[in-house]
Amino acid sequence: MAAHNGTTSRVSVHSKLTAVSSKPVEAGKIHQLSAVDHAMALHSLHVIFYYKKNPFGFFDLDPLRVSLSEVLSLYPPVTGRLKIGEAGNWEVKCNDAGVRVFRAKVGCTLDEWLRSADGAEEKDLTGWEEMPEDPSTWAPFRLQVTEFEGGGVAFGLSCPHIIANLTSVILIFKAWSETHRKETIGQPPLFHTSIPGETSVPKPLTNSFSHYAAKANAEVKPSSEKMATAAFKFSDSTIRQWFNTVGDRCPNATPFDLLASLFWMRIGRLKTPIHDHDHTLSVCLDLRRLVQPPIPLGYFGNALHFSTLSRTRKEMESNELGEVVDLMHQHISSVSKGQVRSAIDWLESQKEEGGKYAAPFRMYGPYLTCVNMEQMITGHQSLLYAASFENNEKPVHVSCHVGNVEGEGLVLVTPLEEGLARMVIVTLPMDELAKLCEDEGILRLEPKLLLHRNER
């Protein structure tokens, strides 16, 4: 059992193994990492899929390993190992060294866990281990299967953010469930489409170019207060009702526009802005659909674009929610292919002589960062809740986390299975989060609060 902050975790790992692909990987295959990949190197990803019933009955690892090995043969970088290439940049040696798989148990039911677990315990569901100085034998992708009393089970995946983003991790898990059911993979992986970038003299488009430069030069002072996380679930009916209140101001608003604006406003009341007169929000979008032609959702890697939105303290205090929702919607709608290209060009332009990328910096910060996961909606289906192994048993809860978040905090908006329903996962300094969980402006939307926990 792992110990955290003087307490013993309820998660007990009882076995470990390595899963490899069912087909040999091409000898000497290397997966190159992009400029955007390298920019995410300080962060890690953790995704946990909770199921009310164990889809494998009395848990038998053999059928699980067979389908896992089959899907891993489609993802050579997942079973590879990180190494430094000739130019001094990270790359993945696709040697099929395998994915670490852990089996664990928890001495409580799933419902009890969701009501009482803290952040350290939830991280224990992903088998995460920080990358060592020499990662040649270190498995970057880890899977943990944790059984709860009464039949519940959690599948936790983790990996360094330098290799993939949340979309890629979620789609790997979904592809595994489809492979297990002997079905065609809905979003097959794509490794050879590069993100558009001119790698020439960068064009200083104000919002994107300057935002990346500011991130790189910002001094992020670690908070003396522990970070904490809470998940707020908002129902479809609640979101529809609130759309009626802002519809006149912004008729085309999305659930992300509404929730990002609401949390930005309410969190802003708890903070002293980094600049005396500004409240600044860093907006993280998936760029697969921002470029033309769009990049397939199955593109494996980091396809993220960060932009910034600022309001004065006076504006934030005087504006109605509808006004900020309209501002948010206009900002997101205005993000262009040119801005995306400008941001990537800026990252490329920071290379040292010889082609080595500059040292990474915290992309989730220093300002409050809000991540839009609306790309995970296809048709009327949320891909986060689409993974069914047997008997159409889908996840009852999915947690997504980014590791090593500092600065003002992180707000992650993910689609739930039902219509416009959304979950907002918030990481803030502990005192601020405690106040946010009691904030009247948030509670008015009657969210269900889950996993209110200390992060570190």
Side-chain angles (χ1 to χ4, degrees):
M1 292 187 183
H4 298 279
N5 299 325
T7 6
T8 301
S9 171
R10 290 174 288 177
V11 181
S12 177
V13 176
H14 56 80
S15 65
K16 304 176 184 180
L17 55 90
T18 300
V20 298
S21 61
S22 59
K23 297 178 182 178
V25 177
E26 176 187 343
K29 185 177 181 63
I30 297 293
H31 176 66
Q32 302 291 343
L33 299 178
S34 70
V36 182
D37 291 332
H38 278 84
M40 312 306 297
L42 296 182
H43 302 288
S44 58
L45 299 175
H46 312 268
V47 184
I48 304 103
F49 298 84
Y50 293 94
Y51 289 81
K52 201 76 172 176
K53 297 180 180 178
N54 191 330
F56 302 99
F58 295 103
F59 192 80
D60 182 357
L61 203 57
D62 287 340
L64 178 73
R65 291 184 66 180
V66 170
S67 57
L68 180 59
S69 293
E70 289 178 6
V71 78
L72 288 178
S73 67
L74 303 177
Y75 289 89
V78 173
T79 57
R81 296 294 181 264
L82 281 162
K83 64 183 287 286
I84 297 292
E86 292 183 5
N89 295 321
W90 288 105
E91 59 188 27
V92 181
K93 182 180 180 181
C94 301
N95 57 4
D96 198 21
V99 169
R100 292 283 186 269
V101 180
F102 304 86
R103 292 180 62 186
K105 290 186 177 181
V106 176
C108 67
T109 66
L110 174 58
D111 288 340
E112 289 171 339
W113 174 270
L114 292 176
R115 287 196 303 266
S116 62
D118 62 23
E121 283 192 303
E122 192 171 41
K123 196 172 181 180
D124 286 343
L125 298 181
T126 66
W128 177 245
E129 178 185 284
E130 296 294 337
M131 185 172 73
E133 288 187 16
D134 177 11
S136 57
T137 60
W138 178 76
F141 278 83
R142 291 159 184 268
L143 166 67
Q144 183 167 308
V145 184
T146 305
E147 295 177 272
F148 296 90
E149 291 185 354
V153 65
F155 294 87
L157 285 80
S158 62
C159 72
H161 209 325
I162 194 173
I163 300 181
N165 67 355
L166 286 171
T167 297
S168 297
V169 175
I170 292 163
L171 292 182
I172 291 170
F173 187 76
K174 178 175 174 288
W176 177 24
S177 71
E178 291 164 334
T179 300
H180 188 80
R181 299 195 313 268
K182 309 297 182 185
E183 295 181 1
T184 302
I185 293 176
Q187 290 79 28
L190 183 66
F191 302 101
H192 304 296
T193 297
S194 60
I195 299 173
E198 295 182 349
T199 64
S200 57
V201 178
K203 300 178 177 61
L205 296 177
T206 303
N207 194 283
S208 54
F209 185 92
S210 60
H211 185 41
Y212 278 59
K215 278 180 179 289
N217 296 321
E219 180 182 355
V220 181
K221 296 180 180 179
S223 174
S224 58
E225 188 176 6
K226 291 181 179 180
M227 301 295 280
T229 301
F232 301 79
K233 279 191 171 183
F234 297 92
S235 69
D236 175 82
S237 59
T238 296
I239 299 296
R240 291 184 187 278
Q241 179 181 348
W242 273 79
F243 271 151
N244 292 334
T245 67
V246 301
D248 291 342
R249 180 74 189 191
C250 187
N252 297 317
T254 67
F256 176 82
D257 296 332
L258 172 63
L259 292 169
S261 300
L262 175 66
F263 277 83
W264 184 27
M265 293 177 71
R266 305 313 298 183
I267 292 172
R269 293 172 178 264
L270 307 176
K271 292 184 176 292
T272 300
I274 290 179
H275 300 297
D276 291 338
H277 62 285
D278 282 347
H279 282 278
T280 301
L281 183 72
S282 180
V283 181
C284 176
L285 304 175
D286 190 284
L287 63 77
R288 290 169 176 85
R289 296 176 182 174
L290 294 178
V291 298
Q292 293 297 328
I295 300 172
L297 197 61
Y299 170 81
F300 184 86
N302 284 287
L304 299 175
H305 177 76
F306 293 80
S307 58
T308 185
L309 188 57
S310 293
R311 302 293 274 175
T312 66
R313 173 181 285 273
K314 184 177 180 179
E315 288 172 326
M316 289 295 281
E317 291 176 349
S318 62
N319 284 165
E320 296 291 334
L321 177 61
E323 294 176 275
V324 181
V325 169
D326 185 48
L327 176 71
M328 183 73 66
H329 183 77
Q330 290 183 38
H331 173 78
I332 293 173
S333 300
S334 69
V335 175
S336 66
K337 177 182 177 180
Q339 288 178 322
V340 171
R341 182 164 55 242
S342 175
I344 296 172
D345 285 346
W346 184 88
L347 292 171
E348 293 281 359
S349 74
Q350 302 305 298
K351 284 182 177 178
E352 300 173 5
E353 187 174 349
K356 183 179 179 180
Y357 287 109
F361 48 91
R362 280 180 175 78
M363 295 296 284
Y364 299 94
Y367 311 111
L368 181 69
T369 302
C370 195
V371 181
N372 185 341
M373 295 287 289
E374 293 293 298
Q375 76 278 2
M376 301 310 295
I377 294 286
T378 60
H380 299 290
Q381 182 186 40
S382 168
L383 298 183
L384 278 84
Y385 290 80
S388 172
F389 287 90
E390 291 182 357
N391 302 323
N392 202 32
E393 195 76 35
K394 295 181 180 180
V396 294
H397 181 69
V398 181
S399 285
C400 299
H401 300 284
V402 176
N404 203 16
V405 172
E406 293 185 358
E408 292 197 2
L410 181 67
V411 177
L412 206 159
V413 183
T414 65
L416 296 174
E417 187 175 5
E418 178 196 359
L420 299 180
R422 295 293 184 270
M423 182 164 65
V424 182
I425 302 172
V426 183
T427 299
L428 294 172
M430 186 188 302
D431 182 60
E432 291 180 8
L433 188 72
K435 294 176 181 177
L436 187 71
C437 291
E438 299 176 354
D439 183 85
E440 293 182 1
I442 302 292
L443 296 181
R444 195 176 299 132
L445 275 74
E446 301 180 345
K448 181 179 181 181
L449 184 62
L450 295 174
L451 293 163
H452 183 186
R453 52 199 181 265
N454 297 341
E455 208 42 49
R456 60 179 173 86

